[in-house]
Amino acid sequence: MDVGNFIINIFKSCITMIFPLLIPSLGEAVSERAGIYNVGIEGFMLVGALISYYGAYLTHSLFGGIVAGIAAGILLSIIHAFFSITLKSNQIISGVGIWLLGTGLTAYLYRLIPIKDSIEGFRQMQIPLLSKIPVFGPIFFQQNLLVYFGFTICLILYIFLKYTPGGTLVRAVGDGPLAVDMAGHSVTKIRYLAVITCGGLSGLGGAYISLAVLHQFSENMIAGRGFIALCIVIFGNWNPARILLGAAIFAWVDSFQLRMQAIGTDIPYPLLLMAPYLITLIVLIGFVGKVDEPRKLTIPYFKGED
């Protein structure tokens, strides 16, 4: 085995698999910053994966598939927003309901309309000159277009949340909605937009799996990445830059275990498959009581009450 190529391939795969962890995590960070917890990311991603696959297959357009996946995530997120914000229901229960709805709905639709063909999904693109750089070229500059788009979204959200008035309002709604209300801004509107952002980005994350990784759909193909995204938000302390680091760590662990399975190892493959979820558990245990979460996270806002 060529150790050098093995290591390069692991890191290249890591960069490829950052997207479906990073983008939903960023969406969840925006939602939680506004005070709305969304445990239903897995459901958003599943629906986004299926609808984007159908959309790309039927329209023969990857762009059409991406738009369909984002739209599906947004539509599902509006349901969660309605229950969590308008009806002021328990956000955890609503999120679990969304997850179950997404899981059951995608399984039903896929069996009802069983399109089994693979599609011509996003392919790797080699950036001229940069892709020829030893080691770094194959890792960073031989990726599909969506990978670079994902890093761009991360930068935009970092600037938005930290340096813009809109980002300040989002953070304020999660910490002190009464002050935002007294200043004449709509807490309900800001929270709806935050949840819709989460839904759209989660749908995009799911679309990436079906359009850029597998080029088809299969039941439960998200494989817990939505729940790992929840953990990444905690690891990143709701900061897009740290969320990027967390997504990279989890993607590396996943890439490593897949490569180990591919080359053959004495380690039982169920233990390798368990590695990303074991890391998730360790992170959750390690960060208990050590994060600075939004003060009003999961707490409904009643007008005039702090």
Side-chain angles (χ1 to χ4, degrees):
M1 179 183 67
D2 187 330
V3 176
N5 284 335
F6 177 75
I7 294 174
I8 289 175
N9 286 333
I10 287 179
F11 279 96
K12 182 178 180 180
S13 178
C14 168
I15 299 300
T16 301
M17 293 310 298
I18 280 180
F19 190 97
L21 293 173
L22 173 64
I23 297 304
S25 298
L26 291 172
E28 177 66 11
V30 172
S31 181
E32 291 189 21
R33 275 295 189 185
I36 306 298
Y37 189 71
N38 190 353
V39 76
I41 293 181
E42 186 89 358
F44 292 157
M45 294 182 70
L46 273 170
V47 172
L50 177 65
I51 300 303
S52 66
Y53 169 69
Y54 280 160
Y57 182 86
L58 295 174
T59 65
H60 304 288
S61 167
L62 292 177
F63 177 75
I66 289 292
V67 171
I70 293 174
I74 288 175
L75 289 175
L76 204 58
S77 71
I78 291 175
I79 298 175
H80 179 59
F82 177 73
F83 280 100
S84 300
I85 302 171
T86 303
L87 299 184
K88 307 185 190 306
S89 302
N90 185 291
Q91 295 175 18
I92 305 297
I93 294 175
S94 175
V96 170
I98 293 295
W99 164 46
L100 294 175
L101 174 63
T103 302
L105 182 62
T106 52
Y108 172 73
L109 290 177
Y110 187 59
R111 295 177 186 183
L112 182 68
I113 314 173
I115 300 175
K116 304 297 183 181
D117 297 338
S118 295
I119 59 174
E120 185 67 26
F122 288 93
R123 301 291 182 179
Q124 292 181 0
M125 52 184 290
Q126 297 195 11
I127 298 178
L129 299 180
L130 295 177
S131 63
K132 302 300 182 181
I133 299 174
V135 181
F136 292 100
I139 294 175
F140 293 102
F141 303 114
Q142 294 182 16
Q143 300 288 344
N144 66 72
L145 180 64
L146 288 181
V147 169
Y148 305 109
F149 183 57
F151 291 138
T152 304
I153 292 176
C154 184
L155 177 61
I156 290 172
L157 285 181
Y158 177 82
I159 295 172
F160 171 75
L161 288 173
K162 191 168 184 177
Y163 297 110
T164 68
T168 300
L169 280 176
V170 170
R171 290 185 281 112
V173 164
D175 286 320
L178 178 59
V180 175
D181 195 4
M182 295 292 288
H185 299 284
S186 171
V187 173
T188 297
K189 178 181 177 181
I190 295 170
R191 286 188 165 180
Y192 258 89
L193 289 174
V195 174
I196 287 172
T197 299
C198 179
L201 291 180
S202 297
L204 176 58
Y208 181 88
I209 297 291
S210 59
L211 300 184
V213 179
L214 298 180
H215 300 173
Q216 60 182 3
F217 180 85
S218 61
E219 293 182 28
N220 296 317
M221 65 189 296
I222 303 304
R225 288 183 176 86
F227 295 104
I228 292 177
L230 296 173
C231 178
I232 290 173
V233 173
I234 296 173
F235 174 89
N237 204 28
W238 295 269
N239 182 316
R242 288 186 56 178
I243 287 173
L244 173 59
L245 174 62
I249 292 173
F250 281 92
W252 187 90
V253 172
D254 195 26
S255 300
F256 178 77
Q257 67 90 9
L258 288 173
R259 288 292 170 181
M260 291 298 289
Q261 288 187 59
I263 65 173
T265 176
D266 292 334
I267 303 174
Y269 81 90
L271 292 181
L272 292 172
L273 287 173
M274 187 176 66
Y277 310 103
L278 180 61
I279 295 298
T280 301
L281 182 60
I282 292 173
V283 168
L284 288 175
I285 294 173
F287 279 79
V288 169
K290 299 180 181 179
V291 293
D292 185 23
E293 68 180 26
R295 194 168 65 90
K296 294 296 183 179
L297 182 61
T298 75
I299 300 176
Y301 175 66
F302 294 88
K303 193 171 183 65
E305 296 184 6
D306 187 12

